[in-house]
Amino acid sequence: MAELELAITERNYRITGHNKIGSVIRERDQIDFPDYDTFQFCNLTLAREMLELSPESVSWMPCNMALRVENEKVILTTHLLKEDPKNPKLAAFAKKINAQLKEIVDFAVEN
C-alpha cells in the first residue's frame, strides 16, 4: 500500500479516499478475511481538462484503484478511460491518463 500511495502522489494526484473494506469486515464479523482496499485519487487540473472536453466523463472521477490479497499475492486493478475515437482531443487525453494509471500500477507492483 505504501508503494501505491507513493506512486499516486509522485504523479501529482491527491488521494481523496481510502476504503479498507477487508479489515472492516474482519473487525465487524470477528473472522479471518483478506484485505480489500480501494483508493480514490484526483488531480484537479486534469479533472478540469477532462470535464471541459467531456462533461459526461464526471462518472469516471475520481480515478480508482483496488488492492486485494489473493493466494498470498497482492492484486492491483484500475479502470482505464475510454479512448473515444469520435473525439480526438478526448482520445489523446484518455491515452495520457491511461499511461499514468498504468505507470502507477507498474510502480506499485514492482516495489
Side-chain angles (χ1 to χ4, degrees):
M1 270 191 264
E3 290 84 3
L4 176 58
E5 291 177 11
L6 178 63
I8 290 169
T9 57
E10 278 194 347
R11 283 158 184 81
N12 204 26
Y13 287 90
R14 178 175 291 167
I15 296 174
T16 58
H18 177 189
N19 297 301
K20 301 176 182 182
I21 301 163
S23 64
V24 172
I25 292 171
R26 269 195 310 276
E27 186 177 309
R28 184 195 67 187
D29 296 342
Q30 299 294 306
I31 61 171
D32 185 28
F33 200 81
D35 284 327
Y36 290 90
D37 289 67
T38 62
F39 291 84
Q40 298 76 43
F41 52 98
C42 191
N43 173 309
L44 289 177
T45 302
L46 295 172
R48 178 180 175 180
E49 184 179 346
M50 182 172 77
L51 294 174
E52 287 174 344
L53 290 169
S54 170
E56 65 275 10
S57 293
V58 70
S59 63
W60 288 93
M61 296 175 60
C63 295
N64 287 283
M65 292 207 175
L67 183 145
R68 69 182 190 279
V69 176
E70 192 174 292
N71 298 323
E72 298 182 25
K73 290 186 178 184
V74 175
I75 310 292
L76 182 60
T77 58
T78 190
H79 296 285
L80 299 178
L81 299 176
K82 293 180 182 180
E83 296 179 8
D84 184 359
K86 292 179 248 170
N87 182 336
K89 288 183 181 178
L90 184 58
F93 177 84
K95 286 178 186 177
K96 175 175 73 173
I97 298 302
N98 288 345
Q100 290 178 8
L101 293 172
K102 290 174 185 177
E103 287 174 6
I104 290 168
V105 169
D106 290 345
F107 179 88
V109 298
E110 288 175 4
N111 293 304

